[in-house]
Structure formats: structure tokens, C-alpha cells
Amino acid sequence: MIDDNINHEYIIRYLRDILPKREGLLKEMEDYAAAHDVPISQPETMRLLEVLTELTKAQNILEVGCAIGYSAICMAQAGAENIDTIEISEEMAKLAEENIKKAGLSARIHIHPGDAKEILPTLDGQYDIIFVDAAKAQYGEFFPHCMRMLKTGGLLVSDNVLYKGMTATDELMQRRKITIIKRLRNYLSMLSSHNELSTTVLPIGDGVALSVHKKKELPND
């Protein structure tokens, strides 16, 4: 996971050293992800999500990109009462279901197997937090549905937006990643200029964008 982190290795190691150590099921899931190259949230990013869940007292969360259920379980344990999570891989969705059951959270975490582009239009919930951590090139396509379902005052969290630093500079650009990077840059530009959002990008993990859904201003009489 350090290879995908945009920070210096000594900063990464220090931040991870001061984080609470995982035990039990979560530690097993981290080990499984490392051994099988499964993309889960990096430790410092996951800690940020937990703190945001606690800080906002989020009860309803939508996650786009479940993998093996790691982040959904963490957010539920941080206090979320209802989490809808989407996973395109049938294999990952089954593993997530097993892990969620082991955690005793089947009543609070609901997996929607399938492509997020097809699942998102069928959902009509209102969410305190929407966590986007799926195909990076499709963030822009997910966005209209996220805005539709994000409560006023709610938080849109977009992971991996700096993408190994390539989003920030052409010097790191890999030729085969050009399309993804262009789309991520467009996505961040859209978030930053959107008149209903206040957005900041944090250089932790692989880059995290935090966007608050502002109250709409009423037109002057």
C-alpha cells in the first residue's frame, strides 16, 4: 500500500505507527488484502473516514466500491446505522458479505452487487456521507447521482484523487494512465468550482477530496 501513497515513506510509517492497531477480523482483512492485492482504504485514509463518521454523527452512508467490506465495517463500527455499498465484482461481493456477517453487521450494511453506473440510478436514499472509491475514470459519471442523494450539509469523500501524484504533475505521468488522470483532473476541477460544494483535497493516502454540500442560496427578492 505504501507504493500508492503520495507521501514520503518516513511520514507514512510515522502516521501508521501512531494509529490504533487493528485486531481480530479487521486485522485478518488487512492481511488478506495485502496477500491477495485487494485494494482497500489505506490506514490513514480509513482513520479519516472513521473520524468523519464520528464527527458528523453520520447515520446513513453510501459507498461506491465495497471490495471485501473493510471500509463499510469500519464506518459501521464508527457509528453509522445504515450503509449501502456497491461492488462490481461478484467474488468481492461474496467475500464482503461473509466478512460483514462475521462482524455481526448484516442488518446495517447492505451490499448492492453490480456496476455502480447501473446501480446508482436505482437508489433514492439521502445520505450523510457518500464515499467514492471505485473506478477512478468514472468518478465524473457517478457525480450527478451522488449530488442527488447527498443531504444538505452532507459530505462527499472521493478517494485516490491524486493517483500516485500523477494528477498533480505531468512529470509522474504514465502513458497508459493518461485518460484516468485527465478525468481525475476534470473531476477535481468540477468539485472545486461547483457552487453547491465546498471542497478541499488532503494529501494523505493517495489523495482524498472532501466536499461539503452547502445549503442553496435563495434568490434575492
Side-chain angles (χ1 to χ4, degrees), residues 4-189:
D4 292 337
N5 199 299
I6 59 172
N7 282 303
H8 294 294
E9 187 170 333
Y10 65 89
I11 294 177
I12 300 167
R13 294 195 183 282
Y14 175 74
L15 291 177
R16 294 182 182 182
D17 282 345
I18 63 175
L19 288 176
K21 303 304 179 186
R22 301 295 191 188
E23 298 178 347
L25 177 62
L26 290 176
K27 180 63 167 62
E28 292 175 13
M29 293 175 72
E30 289 181 348
D31 292 344
Y32 179 90
H36 295 84
D37 198 26
V38 174
I40 63 172
S41 295
Q42 297 191 31
E44 54 273 35
T45 302
M46 193 64 252
R47 190 57 177 165
L48 173 64
L49 278 170
E50 291 169 327
V51 170
L52 290 172
T53 301
E54 294 175 6
L55 178 67
T56 62
K57 297 180 171 57
Q59 294 301 294
N60 295 298
I61 293 177
L62 171 63
E63 177 183 50
V64 185
C66 178
I68 57 174
Y70 178 76
S71 49
I73 290 172
C74 288
M75 290 186 288
Q77 291 182 345
E81 284 297 323
N82 176 74
I83 298 176
D84 289 310
T85 182
I86 302 171
E87 177 51 49
I88 192 170
S89 165
E90 184 176 344
E91 179 184 0
M92 290 292 103
K94 288 180 179 178
L95 286 172
E97 185 176 11
E98 293 172 6
N99 288 324
I100 290 165
K101 184 175 181 180
K102 288 178 184 177
L105 293 168
S106 297
R108 291 163 58 190
I109 302 175
H110 314 284
I111 301 174
H112 301 265
D115 190 329
K117 290 186 293 184
E118 298 174 359
I119 300 295
L120 284 170
T122 71
L123 302 178
D124 59 2
Q126 288 292 291
Y127 298 97
D128 303 299
I129 292 177
I130 298 179
F131 177 46
V132 181
D133 187 23
K136 315 310 166 194
Q138 296 176 10
Y139 279 15
E141 296 179 68
F142 302 153
F143 178 74
H145 301 290
C146 292
M147 282 299 292
R148 173 176 58 84
M149 294 186 284
L150 186 64
K151 290 181 179 178
T152 299
L155 189 61
L156 172 63
V157 182
S158 308
D159 201 9
N160 304 109
V161 293
L162 294 181
Y163 206 69
K164 306 176 186 179
M166 286 187 277
T167 307
T169 177
D170 289 343
E171 293 178 9
L172 299 174
M173 183 82 75
Q174 297 175 17
R175 191 177 185 85
R176 60 192 175 88
K177 301 292 186 181
I178 289 176
T179 298
I180 294 175
I181 298 308
K182 285 183 177 179
R183 291 183 181 180
L184 279 173
R185 287 175 178 175
N186 289 337
Y187 178 71
L188 288 177
S189 178

